[in-house]
Amino acid sequence: MKKTLLVVAGVLIASVIAASAQEVLSANAVGYIKKTIPADGGLVPLSIPLNSMTETDIVFGRTSVAAEAPQGATVFFWTGLNWDGGTKGSRGWAAAQSNRVIAVGEAFFLKGAAGDVAREVTITGEVPDDTTLSKAVTGGGNLNPLANPYPVDFKFGESTLAANAAQNSTVFFWTGANWDGGSKGSRGWAAAQSNRVVQAGEGFFLQEVGASGAWVASKPYTWP
């Protein structure tokens, strides 16, 4: 399967070129992923699958996405029960949003301002070199906002998350207007869900009806 990874070796510079390849081609790679906030208050589900270049945690207010999001944009984080968010004002993000730590493999929503044009934001950071990355998944019918912890596209049905999900668990993908999902049956996932390609930096929801656990993803590239 073709995997999308946007990288550049060494430092991120203005002349960086986006690469779409099976492997990362250089060590100590720094990458970027372009995402679009839809016009007129549209929503986009995002994640940050690149490591911070300055600290251990991914702190929303210190990401390139937060910096590039226009005034009037709103960010929403899932609390486990509902969405909790805040809007970027003339002085930037409020502390609650700015200081929010985003977990590896966690998804969130970014919403444009009403009446605004489409805006492009860039996810930047170092390409993860961990052999595996893990994201906790809460069971018992709870909803989990998830994303590939690595900066590559993947086919949902080929992931360990899909394979290990209990029967009757449901996955939801954002269409740009609403959630579109399907449940895992006795024979597995239907083709629409199994063949769904989740883009690098794209978020989705899994409602896991089984026990709580973790999605352990393996590094899909050789370097870094």
Side-chain angles (χ1 to χ4, degrees), residues 54-73:
T54 59
E55 53 195 318
T56 302
D57 292 327
I58 302 170
V59 182
F60 175 72
R62 296 194 281 277
T63 65
S64 53
V65 169
E68 293 178 7
Q71 183 177 334

Side-chain angles (χ1 to χ4, degrees), residues 114-132:
D116 196 9
V117 298
R119 303 279 185 173
E120 190 174 74
V121 293
T122 310
I123 302 166
T124 61
E126 292 185 351
V127 178
D129 60 0
D130 306 78
T131 303
T132 61

Side-chain angles (χ1 to χ4, degrees), residues 92-207:
W93 299 98
Q97 290 77 54
S98 183
N99 297 326
R100 175 63 152 74
V101 174
I102 301 171
V104 172
E106 177 187 0
F108 60 95
F109 258 123
L110 200 58
K111 181 180 186 294
D116 196 9
V117 298
R119 303 279 185 173
E120 190 174 74
V121 293
T122 310
I123 302 166
T124 61
E126 292 185 351
V127 178
D129 60 0
D130 306 78
T131 303
T132 61
L133 288 171
S134 178
K135 175 67 177 74
V137 176
T138 305
N142 285 285
L143 288 163
N144 296 270
L146 302 173
N148 191 359
Y150 292 100
V152 297
D153 300 350
F154 78 102
K155 188 178 289 187
F156 175 73
E158 296 178 354
S159 68
T160 56
L161 177 69
N164 294 333
Q167 185 177 335
N168 297 321
S169 294
T170 304
V171 66
F172 300 94
F173 301 107
W174 184 248
T175 66
N178 49 46
W179 292 105
D180 180 33
S183 298
K184 186 176 185 178
S186 59
R187 296 184 180 181
W189 298 97
Q193 288 77 54
S194 184
N195 295 327
R196 176 59 151 79
V197 175
V198 183
Q199 297 178 353
E202 176 188 357
F204 61 97
F205 258 118
L206 178 72
Q207 185 175 30

Side-chain angles (χ1 to χ4, degrees), residues 5-13 16 24-32 50-53 124-130 151 219 221-224:
L5 176 59
L6 308 179
V7 299
V8 59
V11 296
L12 185 67
I13 55 177
V16 73
V24 181
L25 302 178
S26 57
N28 302 317
V30 175
Y32 74 94
L50 296 167
N51 296 333
S52 169
M53 292 183 282
T124 61
E126 292 185 351
V127 178
D129 60 0
D130 306 78
K219 186 172 71 170
Y221 42 80
T222 303
W223 299 103

